């Protein structure tokens, strides 16, 4: 028994074909949009690549690939739907219609996977930022080493743009030597004592880079001797307010990329529903036109359906059709050919030529 059977007149079939032709071209535009979103996300990740440990370009690359595939598939679908307005022109696509619909169905599943990956990317991104930011902060001081000289500029720009400080907070800078030895005055006893007191010989202080300062705070920035309340007038380190950015850069970047991924994921989910609806309508159009061809009257009504039989029977039937598409036509299997009579006629022709 057919599932979701609908009866179509010739006028309804033409209207459905015209509507699907328009929708396929709309899908081409949405494919270009998805390609642009994937490219945008790839560029945004590339901007902060120095504070990430792992290459997390799989989702952007997938979106770019889905966008290009959407344009190609729906461009072909628009051509098919345009030819479906004429029953005679549909004969050119009859053998390719079913493989096209099956391939498009699996492609819609691929779109759904891409949408889910947009939401699942947060954990990988958080781990990459946790390790990448810490490594970048360790190279902050190495402005005179080739390959690391740009790290200071990148982190300073990051902390000013996102109004953040450190990895998880400004106290992370207390555990890292972020001042190069080139700028340490060894004639000062406090500097020498600080270096000697550390097992690894690092210069660790309760200070942060100037880019950690909160620009909205009215007081001049206190970035040195932060934990020493007596070193500054009218200052309390344990007070509620400090003139430093409290948010860590990992949290700030995670929020920024999460908002982008949620927006992109929502767009991809909408595209998935749209592609699924277009695919369903194309299947109705395909089955209704095939039934018209069986009837032999292009003006008559015909039935279209979502599934002709149960799901398992339909899958098995379509699989057998696709499997037999590549097989060559076997002449010996044709019952309409009389092999013996044909051979007899050939022998008589040879005798006439050579009496």
């Amino acid at each position: 028994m057919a599932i979701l059977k609908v009866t179509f007149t010739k006028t309804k079939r033409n209207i459905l074909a015209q509507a699907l032709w328009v929708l396929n071209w709309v899908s081409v535009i949405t494919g270009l949009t998805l390609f642009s979103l994937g490219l945008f996300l790839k560029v945004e990740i590339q901007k902060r690549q120095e504070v990430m440990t792992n290459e997390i370009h799989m989702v952007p690359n997938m979106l770019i690939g889905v966008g290009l595939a959407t344009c190609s598939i729906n461009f072909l679908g628009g051509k098919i739907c345009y030819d479906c307005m004429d029953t005679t022109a549909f004969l050119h696509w009859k053998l390719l219609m079913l493989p096209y619909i099956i391939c498009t169905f699996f492609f819609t599943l691929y779109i759904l996977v891409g949408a889910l990956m947009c939401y699942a990317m947060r954990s990988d991104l958080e781990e990459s930022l946790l390790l990448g930011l810490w490594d970048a902060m360790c190279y902050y001081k190495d402005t005179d080493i080739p390959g690391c000289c740009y790290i200071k500029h990148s982190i300073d720009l990051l902390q000013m743009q996102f109004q953040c400080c450190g990895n998880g907070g400004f106290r992370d800078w207390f555990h890292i030597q972020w001042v190069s030895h080139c700028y340490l005055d060894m004639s000062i006893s406090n500097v020498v004592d600080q270096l000697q007191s550390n097992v690894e010989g690092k210069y660790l202080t309760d200070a942060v880079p100037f880019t950690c300062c909160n620009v909205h705070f009215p007081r001049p920035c206190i970035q040195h001797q932060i934990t020493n309340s007596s070193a500054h007038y009218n200052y309390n380190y344990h007070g509620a307010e400090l003139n430093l950015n409290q948010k860590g850069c990992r949290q700030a970047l995670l929020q920024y990329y999460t908002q982008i991924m949620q927006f992109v994921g929502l767009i991809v989910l909408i595209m998935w529903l749209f592609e699924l609806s277009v695919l369903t309508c194309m299947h109705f159009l395909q089955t209704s036109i095939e039934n018209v061809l069986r009837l032999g009257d292009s003006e008559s009504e015909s039935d279209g359906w979502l599934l002709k039989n149960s799901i398992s029977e339909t899958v098995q039937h379509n699989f057998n059709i696709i499997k037999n598409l590549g097989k060559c036509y076997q002449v010996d299997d044709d019952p309409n050919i009389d092999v013996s009579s044909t051979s007899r006629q050939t022998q008589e022709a040879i005798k006439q030529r050579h009496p």
Side-chain angles (χ1 to χ4, degrees):
M1 181 179 178
I3 300 176
L4 295 179
K5 184 172 69 173
V6 180
T7 302
F8 293 91
T9 61
K10 181 181 179 181
T11 303
K12 290 182 178 180
R13 287 195 299 269
N14 290 338
I15 292 175
L16 180 59
Q18 292 174 358
L20 286 173
W21 176 73
V22 174
L23 291 177
N24 274 282
W25 278 106
V26 173
S27 295
V28 172
I29 298 176
T30 57
L32 292 175
T33 303
L34 185 58
F35 172 80
S36 302
L37 289 174
L39 197 61
F40 168 75
L41 181 60
K42 189 177 182 69
V43 171
E44 286 298 312
I45 292 177
Q46 191 65 37
K47 286 181 181 178
R48 314 295 175 191
Q49 192 62 51
E50 61 270 8
V51 296
M52 300 180 186
T53 55
N54 302 324
E55 293 285 341
I56 51 176
H57 293 289
M58 184 174 64
V59 174
N61 291 338
M62 185 178 186
L63 295 178
I64 292 173
V66 168
L68 293 176
T70 300
C71 295
S72 303
I73 290 176
N74 287 283
F75 178 81
L76 179 61
K79 174 62 177 174
I80 293 175
C81 292
Y82 182 82
D83 289 342
C84 285
M85 300 179 195
D86 183 7
T87 307
T88 305
F90 174 76
L91 293 175
H92 301 292
W93 301 101
K94 183 178 179 181
L95 292 178
L96 294 177
M97 193 71 172
L98 181 60
Y100 171 82
I101 290 179
I102 293 177
C103 292
T104 307
F105 173 74
F106 285 106
F107 173 70
T108 55
L109 295 180
Y110 187 67
I111 295 178
L112 178 61
V113 172
L116 297 177
M117 287 181 64
C118 290
Y119 292 98
M121 183 182 172
R122 178 185 172 91
S123 58
D124 295 336
L125 182 62
E126 184 174 10
E127 182 180 359
S128 179
L129 288 172
L130 175 63
L131 301 176
L133 272 169
W134 188 262
D135 291 341
M137 290 170 62
C138 292
Y139 290 109
Y140 182 87
K141 67 180 186 303
D142 299 328
T143 55
D144 55 344
I145 298 178
C148 302
C149 54
Y150 64 93
I151 296 293
K152 179 182 182 301
H153 174 266
S154 299
I155 293 182
D156 285 339
L157 193 63
L158 172 66
Q159 293 187 147
M160 288 189 294
Q161 182 179 354
F162 288 89
Q163 296 183 7
C164 58
C165 185
N167 192 334
F170 68 91
R171 293 178 181 84
D172 292 336
W173 289 108
F174 298 171
H175 307 286
I176 294 176
Q177 179 180 342
W178 55 273
V179 179
S180 175
H181 285 281
C182 300
Y183 306 105
L184 295 178
D185 188 358
M186 296 301 176
S187 62
I188 302 178
S189 59
N190 291 336
V191 174
V192 177
D193 293 340
Q194 188 70 30
L195 289 171
Q196 293 177 351
S197 63
N198 187 269
V199 177
E200 298 178 357
K202 295 182 178 179
Y203 182 70
L204 304 180
T205 60
D206 55 345
V208 297
F210 76 98
T211 51
C212 285
C213 297
N214 188 347
V215 297
H216 302 290
F217 204 80
R219 179 173 183 159
C221 185
I222 298 176
Q223 63 181 106
H224 296 284
Q225 294 184 319
I226 296 174
T227 59
N228 188 0
S229 300
S230 61
H232 311 280
Y233 175 74
N234 195 19
Y235 172 75
N236 183 12
Y237 168 68
H238 300 287
E241 294 185 357
L242 291 175
N243 57 355
L244 300 174
N245 294 318
Q246 303 295 309
K247 182 187 296 184
C249 291
R250 184 179 76 251
Q251 180 185 357
L253 284 174
L254 194 61
Q255 290 177 352
Y256 174 72
Y257 284 115
T258 300
Q259 291 176 355
I260 295 178
M261 295 308 301
Q262 288 177 349
F263 172 75
V264 174
L266 178 62
I267 297 297
V268 178
L269 277 177
I270 294 174
M271 279 190 59
W272 172 69
L273 293 174
F274 182 75
E275 290 290 333
L276 195 61
S277 61
V278 172
L279 176 63
T280 303
C281 293
M282 283 195 68
H283 188 54
F284 277 108
L285 181 64
Q286 173 217 355
T287 52
S288 63
I289 294 180
E290 287 182 350
N291 288 330
V292 165
L293 295 176
R294 291 191 184 97
L295 295 174
D297 184 8
S298 61
E299 303 293 330
S300 63
E301 294 183 351
S302 62
D303 293 332
W305 48 69
L306 183 62
L307 292 176
K308 185 177 181 179
N309 301 306
S310 64
I311 296 178
S312 59
E313 293 176 352
T314 302
V315 171
Q316 183 64 34
H317 174 70
N318 293 335
F319 177 75
N320 292 332
I321 291 176
I322 294 175
K323 186 172 64 174
N324 294 328
L325 280 177
K327 291 185 177 181
C328 296
Y329 184 76
Q330 300 293 331
V331 177
D332 295 338
D333 295 339
D334 194 340
N336 296 321
I337 298 179
D338 188 353
V339 178
S340 60
S341 61
T342 304
S343 302
R344 191 181 306 112
Q345 291 176 2
T346 303
Q347 293 175 0
E348 291 177 357
I350 294 174
K351 290 179 181 180
Q352 292 176 1
R353 292 180 183 178
H354 304 283

